[in-house]
């Protein structure tokens, strides 16, 4: 049984989906949720799902060993970033080589990098008259959105789409694929 930690800064609908997927799957379990935002809805989801959670500030994340201590305490095998907005520090990447994945709501290398998150991504996609967009699941390295790509899936951008329309189509792709790809990567760890 692999033990997963999920980092999230926002609503956490992907975190929820991953918790649900692995609650019916004996191969892994979400054992810890971590957030830099005490008011993030993902914390409510952790409480409802009875998954332990931790909130940390910038100093704890970048200047202390607190996160690594939690990773040890909860015996974390694999880390998932699901709507987590801070750049992952070197010490964490080095402690979990090829064991941290992120999901990005566009087809990287397009529309990635600092500041490209949430609605900004979908607005940029529309402003550039793209006819398709999608999701990218990639390993995390020391630079935003530049780790090796594991998986991509695409969906159309239709004439007249708003950023919200695109976001909801992209979210459906995320829900469909992210847990299955995590499952596959975990199997490859053995
Ligand atoms: C997702 O679109 C994900 O791709 C991006 O942030 C969003 C998080 O949504 N990195 P949620 O918090 O999982 O609902």
């Amino acid at each position: 049984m692999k033990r997963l930690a999920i980092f999230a800064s926002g609503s956490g609908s992907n975190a929820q989906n991953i918790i649900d997927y692995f609650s019916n799957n004996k191969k892994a379990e979400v054992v810890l949720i971590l957030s830099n935002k005490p008011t993030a809805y993902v914390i409510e989801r952790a409480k409802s799902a009875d998954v332990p959670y931790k909130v940390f500030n910038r100093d704890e994340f970048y200047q202390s060993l607190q996160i690594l201590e939690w990773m040890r305490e909860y015996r974390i095998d694999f880390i998932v970033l699901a709507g987590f907005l801070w750049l992952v520090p070197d010490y964490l990447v080095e402690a979990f080589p090829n064991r941290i994945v992120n999901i990005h709501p566009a087809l990287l290398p397009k529309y990635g990098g600092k500041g490209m998150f949430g609605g900004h991504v979908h607005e940029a996609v529309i402003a550039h008259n793209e006819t398709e967009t999608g999701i990218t699941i990639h390993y995390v390295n020391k630079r935003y959105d530049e780790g090796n790509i594991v998986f991509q899936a695409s969906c159309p951008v239709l004439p007249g789409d708003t950023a919200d329309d695109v976001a909801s189509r992209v979210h459906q792709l995320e829900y469909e694929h992210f847990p299955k790809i995590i499952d596959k990567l975990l199997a490859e760890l053995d």
Side-chain angles (χ1 to χ4, degrees):
M1 169 84 84
K2 295 282 186 272
R3 298 169 64 82
L4 306 183
I6 301 180
F7 284 70
S9 306
S11 155
S13 67
N14 277 283
Q16 181 78 59
N17 187 44
I18 296 163
I19 291 169
D20 294 346
Y21 177 94
F22 285 106
S23 66
N24 299 312
N25 172 326
K26 296 278 167 283
K27 285 182 276 175
E29 188 183 2
V30 178
V31 297
L32 189 62
I33 299 282
L34 300 104
S35 185
N36 57 303
K37 242 181 133 180
T39 55
Y41 189 64
V42 70
I43 301 295
E44 299 311 312
R45 295 183 190 274
K47 289 179 190 165
S48 308
D50 229 355
V51 176
Y53 63 91
K54 304 286 182 192
V55 176
F56 52 86
N57 63 28
R58 203 165 264 282
D59 280 354
E60 285 169 317
F61 194 54
Y62 289 109
Q63 311 288 348
S64 85
L65 294 176
Q66 180 62 76
I67 304 291
L68 283 184
E69 280 167 20
W70 285 329
M71 295 300 114
R72 259 193 296 273
E73 183 184 341
Y74 286 86
R75 306 194 313 282
I76 300 303
D77 298 303
F78 198 84
I79 296 175
V80 175
L81 310 185
F84 181 66
L85 299 182
W86 287 359
L87 185 66
V88 173
D90 293 358
Y91 74 79
L92 197 51
V93 175
E94 281 159 17
F96 287 85
N98 280 338
R99 285 171 180 249
I100 311 179
V101 287
N102 179 44
I103 191 160
H104 186 78
L107 295 171
L108 290 174
K110 285 181 163 183
Y111 307 109
K114 195 169 164 56
M116 272 294 158
F117 61 91
H120 300 301
V121 177
H122 309 307
E123 279 155 20
V125 163
I126 289 171
H128 285 85
N129 295 314
E130 298 284 359
T131 54
E132 70 166 14
T133 186
I135 61 169
T136 303
I137 297 168
H138 64 94
Y139 286 114
V140 171
N141 67 11
K142 296 173 184 178
R143 292 149 71 131
Y144 272 117
D145 298 332
E146 290 188 16
N148 288 342
I149 291 175
V150 178
F151 175 85
Q152 291 187 304
S154 57
C155 61
V157 180
L158 302 175
D161 268 355
T162 63
D164 283 347
D165 296 330
V166 176
S168 71
R169 216 169 290 129
V170 164
H171 260 123
Q172 289 312 315
L173 282 182
E174 295 183 331
Y175 302 151
E176 182 185 345
H177 295 290
F178 202 14
K180 288 185 203 152
I181 296 297
I182 294 166
D183 203 352
K184 181 168 159 277
L185 295 176
L186 290 174
E188 289 168 8
L189 284 183
D190 299 324

